Amino acid sequence: MEHETLADQAGSTGVRATAEERQARAEWLIAEFRRRAAACDDPREEANLLRSADSLVRLATAYQP
């Protein structure tokens, strides 16, 4: 089984992303956390994934211009 982290999937080019790119990446990560939580069998892991998604929403909101 291939192991790929959320950060790997989001991509990291080392180049400064524009605000639109950061927003798109954050939205994708939030959706991915929620998708994985919905498919999770372990209630603790599901709660952790949802908590991560919520934290990312707050972080992305704080960084909006």
Side-chain angles (χ1 to χ4, degrees):
M1 176 179 192
E2 180 181 323
H3 179 72
E4 190 173 63
T5 66
L6 291 174
D8 293 336
Q9 292 173 359
S12 176
T13 62
V15 177
R16 277 210 184 276
T18 65
E20 293 82 18
E21 291 169 333
R22 283 191 305 273
Q23 181 68 27
R25 195 173 316 138
E27 289 173 4
W28 180 87
L29 283 169
I30 292 163
E32 188 66 13
F33 278 131
R34 290 182 176 157
R35 182 189 67 78
R36 289 183 182 198
C40 195
D41 293 333
D42 181 358
R44 291 173 297 179
E45 186 175 351
E46 179 182 0
N48 285 336
L49 289 165
L50 289 173
R51 202 171 12 253
S52 294
D54 292 342
S55 295
L56 187 53
V57 167
R58 287 190 297 278
L59 182 63
T61 301
Y63 277 101
Q64 285 183 349

